[in-house]
Amino acid sequence: MEAPGRVPLACAVSDCAKMWFEETLKEAKSGDSSMQALVGQMYSSGYGVARDEQKGHAWTSRASSSGASVTDKSCKQQGEIKEISMRILAKFKRCLNISSL
């Protein structure tokens, strides 16, 4: 049973994933090929967005057309994922008025 006024963890995680997708999509639309690859992966897996293999493939292809392979971007993505995750977590904590998470 959830405490009054508390958001269930599953909802919090889902909202965080959606915000992460939205932030990543903004970066991808601005031309960042690493973020384009990540958006493709998120669409393909349904992480933070409704699963859509066609859109996933389109974004992955867009990232690949920059000349570098998607797998070459994985190290850069890990650092960017952590940075984006921390920004989203900070927004999320403010949104839920949580001091420790």
Side-chain angles (χ1 to χ4, degrees), residues 16 20 78-91:
C16 186
W20 182 22
Q78 289 174 4
E80 291 171 343
I81 289 168
K82 183 175 180 180
E83 181 184 328
I84 291 168
S85 296
M86 295 306 291
R87 286 194 326 241
I88 290 171
L89 181 59
K91 288 180 186 179

Side-chain angles (χ1 to χ4, degrees), residues 4 13 20 22 26 30 42 48 50 75 81 88 91 95 100:
V13 170
W20 182 22
E22 290 168 6
K26 286 179 194 174
S30 74
M42 293 175 93
C75 290
I81 289 168
I88 290 171
K91 288 180 186 179
C95 177
S100 64

Side-chain angles (χ1 to χ4, degrees), residues 33-42 59-60 63 70 73 77:
S33 60
S34 294
M35 294 297 104
Q36 290 169 351
L38 183 54
V39 166
Q41 293 169 355
M42 293 175 93
W59 277 103
T60 302
V70 173
K73 301 174 190 314
Q77 284 179 352

Side-chain angles (χ1 to χ4, degrees), residues 28-67:
K29 286 181 175 179
S30 74
D32 185 322
S33 60
S34 294
M35 294 297 104
Q36 290 169 351
L38 183 54
V39 166
Q41 293 169 355
M42 293 175 93
Y43 267 121
S44 293
S45 67
Y47 191 79
V49 66
R51 186 176 179 166
D52 188 325
E53 288 288 333
Q54 189 173 12
K55 285 183 180 178
H57 179 70
W59 277 103
T60 302
S61 295
R62 191 176 191 177
S64 295
S65 70
S66 69

